[in-house]
Amino acid sequence: MTAAEELDVVVVGAGFAGLYALYKFRGLGLSVRVFEAAPEVGGTWYFNRYPGARCDVESVDYSYSFSDELQQEWTWTEKYATQAEILAYLNWVADKLDLRRDISFQSRVTSAVLDEDTLRWSVVTEDATVTTARFVVMATGALSAAITPAFDGLDSFGGAIYHTAHWPHGGVDFTGKRVAVIGTGSSGIQSIPILAEQAEHLYVFQRTANYSIPAGNTPLTAEQVAEVKATYAERRRVSFRSGGGSPYLGTTKRTMEVSPQERREAFEKRWRLGGVLFSKTFPDQLTDQAANDEARKFWEEKVRAVIDDAGVAELLIPDDHPIGTKRICTDSNYFQTFNRPNVTLISVRRTPIVSVDVTGINTTETHLDLDAIVFATGFDALTGSLGKIDIVGRGGERLSDDWADGPRSYLGLGDDGFPNLFVVTGPGAPAVLANMVLHAESHVDWIAEAIGYLDAHGYVGIEATPEAVENWLAELNQRAATTLFPKANSWYLGANVPGKPRVFLLFIGGFGAYNDICAEVAAAGYRGFELIKAR
Ligand code: FAD
Ligand code: NAP
């Protein structure tokens, strides 16, 4: 171990959240260092370079709002930007705000240990560098710990193996190759149509059939960009008040309050606009089964109409969860791709994967010769990256033990026993249910204000009380129970990771409502947190 650098704040992660945290804390005159495992900035957008990777929140909204200069200078070219464009944006921001000088790249944080006497955290990186800080901000990403299922014999495969979340930088040419894609979530659904155009034959291994809506991506015209830039302030104001962090407040009429014709027209309009907001055509779609059934029937009719083979359609239409209770996907010709002669759909529910061998995949029914396997199998969401860091709080208690039955937090920001440790867009917050860029901003702003308050009032620490944590967890559960979300085996519940406790991980009351709660807590002198004086 080398001598420790002593700082005000250590930030872990240099994605959207960590970059803004660095800028914000530096602006307050705090000493800050960001540790980033990757060799570059970008987080999600550095790693997920698979063909077709794009945002599904409109680019003009999925971008920083904290600086009007940034908003006015950057020009998005498409409604939903590509991974490359978003990564270019984040690099541009890092350069423009001179962020890199305080980021240690290729520095994976392995542990963070609290000194209870000083309330300082010792943060250790893989190369054994120790840094101490008054505050630690985990901006480690809700979707940054990718999962590769441990199929028997995978190591023996003689072809190439890829994961959508760790895609090679130079791209991959699948021309003339026999390729398997495992997984039909957002990443699979975005990449499958493009892989199908290249591959000699594409085998799509589907476990759970998924709902997807046409993305409706288009280039942005100069007029559209000018209009957004002229109205950005209002657009952002509405976004911070909205349910999902985009400037759409939705309709107030419930599904069954309108006539069948009006209902159909409303769904049709949303369908034509494209994108994830189809889930919010009516406000009760995710709380009332009958309302959800209406949305689902409309969706099914649209999708069946573009699939040629009735048997294939039967496999592609979900029958085990309400529409929108797993993250709804957006696509460009996903369902049509299964009409191609070089694409085969395999249901791993009907014929599970038994093993992988040197030449390909064995299912219970057949052996497939393959040149490449693409895992689009998702992430250990929300808790995965935090779980890889040995976080030790009061009395030597490990966060991993404290969270053994599911993550504990107050507001998703802090946990009792772990003073001065903040998590950005993690479990207990709306997180992935909202536009994550604005959400990261609102979290970082709240943390910055809290640190300013502590410093101004002579406190050295802030720690959630056990009661506040228990009440918050109860509130998360109660809110989730009023919705249809628990009906799906989704990663929102940790259901995609064998052995992970089944707990609804998110605040489902909406981004605007959540921001109000956080603001009220701060205004009430950080109600539910203990503010700690120096010993
Ligand atoms: P990340 O971007 O995940 O960054 C976390 C960083 O922390 C990573 O760079 C990682 O290397 C680093 N890190 C983690 N652990 C350590 C450690 N121990 N030591 C050092 N560094 C560490 N959200 C939306 O709102 N809209 C979208 O359209 C959208 N599209 C998405 C598309 C894809 C393909 C994926 C995977 C996610 C998408 N998301 C979207 C969610 C997305 O993750 C967030 O929007 C956002 O990019 C997260 O930023 P972040 O900074 O919080 O985390
Ligand atoms: P995901 O939604 O978790 O999808 C993973 C897929 O792999 C699922 O179909 C899953 O099936 C399947 N799978 C997992 N383990 C398997 C196994 N052992 N055998 C067979 N199939 C298996 O992951 P993702 O597609 O990477 O997306 C994760 C999240 O990232 C999204 O929900 C979204 O929030 C974000 N994202 C957004 C975009 C975008 O459009 N902007 C794009 C990509 C990702 P089950 O459903 O049965 O678990």
Side-chain angles (χ1 to χ4, degrees):
M1 298 258 176
T2 48
E5 186 183 10
E6 297 191 353
L7 299 171
D8 290 316
V9 192
V10 158
V11 175
V12 189
F16 266 108
L19 292 178
Y20 177 54
L22 170 55
Y23 172 79
K24 180 79 185 183
F25 299 144
R26 195 198 262 172
L28 296 176
L30 299 168
S31 54
V32 196
R33 175 143 297 279
V34 176
F35 292 109
E36 168 55 60
E40 261 304 332
V41 300
T44 289
W45 303 102
Y46 173 81
F47 288 105
N48 291 262
R49 298 171 186 242
Y50 59 84
R54 290 175 184 277
C55 53
D56 60 5
V57 170
E58 290 181 43
S59 326
V60 294
D61 301 314
Y62 188 70
S63 47
Y64 289 125
S65 74
F66 66 85
S67 155
D68 196 45
E69 195 184 331
L70 293 182
Q71 289 183 158
Q72 297 300 332
E73 278 189 26
W74 183 266
T75 296
W76 294 104
T77 62
E78 292 179 77
K79 187 172 181 184
Y80 300 105
T82 59
Q83 168 273 330
E85 192 171 6
I86 301 170
L87 184 60
Y89 168 78
L90 286 167
N91 274 290
W92 173 77
V93 171
D95 287 337
K96 197 168 165 59
L97 303 181
D98 187 22
L99 298 178
R100 292 176 210 279
R101 68 182 154 90
D102 289 323
I103 306 175
S104 299
F105 292 106
Q106 293 181 299
S107 296
R108 179 174 292 283
V109 170
T110 52
S111 72
V113 180
L114 178 73
D115 178 331
E116 272 195 75
D117 291 329
T118 60
L119 288 194
R120 290 187 77 85
W121 286 88
S122 289
V123 177
V124 182
T125 50
E126 244 168 3
D127 64 358
T129 302
V130 185
T131 307
T132 80
R134 295 196 289 141
F135 302 98
V136 174
V137 174
M138 292 295 181
T140 43
L143 294 164
S144 66
I147 305 175
T148 301
F151 291 120
D152 195 26
L154 184 58
D155 288 347
S156 68
F157 182 55
I161 297 176
Y162 305 100
H163 195 295
T164 49
H166 291 284
W167 203 257
H169 287 201
V172 185
D173 183 3
F174 289 106
T175 308
K177 307 274 192 226
R178 297 155 302 175
V179 182
V181 178
I182 303 176
T184 54
S186 298
S187 303
I189 282 178
Q190 280 186 333
S191 54
I192 283 164
I194 301 172
L195 298 178
E197 282 171 13
Q198 280 181 16
E200 179 189 299
H201 202 96
L202 188 72
Y203 299 93
V204 177
F205 287 82
Q206 170 189 279
R207 187 162 69 183
T208 309
N210 220 333
Y211 296 99
S212 185
I213 309 289
N217 186 41
T218 54
L220 290 173
T221 64
E223 293 71 32
Q224 286 169 322
V225 170
E227 164 73 14
V228 169
K229 287 189 177 180
T231 54
Y232 244 136
E234 177 61 6
R235 200 173 175 96
R236 300 304 201 170
R237 191 190 66 76
V238 177
S239 298
F240 279 104
R241 304 274 343 113
S242 70
S246 296
Y248 304 103
L249 294 174
T251 55
T252 48
K253 279 193 184 161
R254 295 167 70 81
T255 307
M256 299 305 184
E257 273 171 15
V258 302
S259 69
Q261 193 191 335
E262 266 182 87
R263 196 152 56 230
R264 195 172 173 84
E265 282 167 8
F267 285 135
E268 187 67 49
K269 188 172 160 208
R270 269 278 151 236
W271 183 269
R272 268 189 270 114
L273 282 171
V276 294
L277 289 172
F278 181 80
S279 274
K280 295 186 177 172
T281 310
F282 293 99
D284 55 349
Q285 246 167 266
L286 290 166
T287 51
D288 178 1
Q289 186 63 57
N292 190 282
D293 288 344
E294 291 296 311
R296 184 205 140 85
K297 264 190 278 171
F298 179 90
W299 177 91
E300 185 171 337
E301 190 186 313
K302 288 285 189 195
V303 169
R304 278 194 193 277
V306 300
I307 305 170
D308 293 345
D309 183 308
V312 171
E314 217 46 59
L315 282 181
L316 286 169
I317 305 286
D319 61 3
D320 63 351
H321 63 285
I323 184 167
T325 52
K326 284 186 164 195
R327 171 79 180 189
I328 204 151
C329 303
T330 61
D331 69 275
S332 301
N333 293 322
Y334 173 66
F335 293 105
Q336 294 86 336
T337 298
F338 294 91
N339 300 334
R340 296 175 64 106
N342 71 330
V343 175
T344 305
L345 177 66
I346 298 161
S347 163
V348 300
R349 291 211 196 283
R350 288 193 185 169
T351 54
I353 295 172
V354 177
S355 63
V356 179
D357 62 25
V358 66
T359 58
I361 290 180
N362 298 303
T363 70
T364 47
E365 199 175 63
T366 188
H367 171 84
L368 294 171
D369 279 329
L370 297 168
D371 300 303
I373 301 174
V374 174
F375 285 97
T377 40
F379 302 86
D380 182 353
L382 293 143
T383 56
S385 288
L386 289 168
K388 290 182 181 172
I389 304 174
D390 190 20
I391 301 172
V392 185
R394 284 197 192 280
E397 186 181 24
R398 296 197 137 73
L399 193 80
S400 53
D401 292 333
D402 189 47
W403 287 17
D405 297 328
R408 300 179 75 257
S409 83
Y410 175 40
L411 307 177
L413 283 160
D415 185 8
D416 63 300
F418 300 87
N420 295 2
L421 179 84
F422 300 102
V423 178
V424 180
T425 59
V432 288
L433 298 176
N435 171 350
M436 293 276 276
V437 179
L438 298 196
H439 193 344
E441 287 186 356
S442 68
H443 262 175
V444 168
D445 287 348
W446 191 95
I447 296 164
E449 201 182 315
I451 293 176
Y453 184 92
L454 299 181
D455 287 352
H457 293 83
Y459 294 107
V460 295
I462 179 168
E463 180 175 0
T465 66
E467 299 73 36
V469 170
E470 289 307 324
N471 290 340
W472 186 248
L473 296 180
E475 179 165 355
L476 296 182
N477 282 328
Q478 280 158 13
R479 286 183 183 263
T482 64
T483 72
L484 302 174
F485 280 88
K487 291 194 174 189
N489 286 321
S490 69
W491 56 257
Y492 296 151
L493 284 145
N496 63 328
V497 179
K500 193 166 171 172
R502 191 183 170 97
V503 180
F504 194 76
L505 294 161
L506 304 163
F507 173 87
I508 207 158
F511 182 55
Y514 173 81
N515 288 333
D516 285 346
I517 295 172
C518 292
E520 280 162 23
V521 165
Y526 296 92
R527 189 182 59 230
F529 287 95
E530 186 192 349
L531 305 184
I532 307 162
K533 293 274 185 193
R535 280 198 184 177

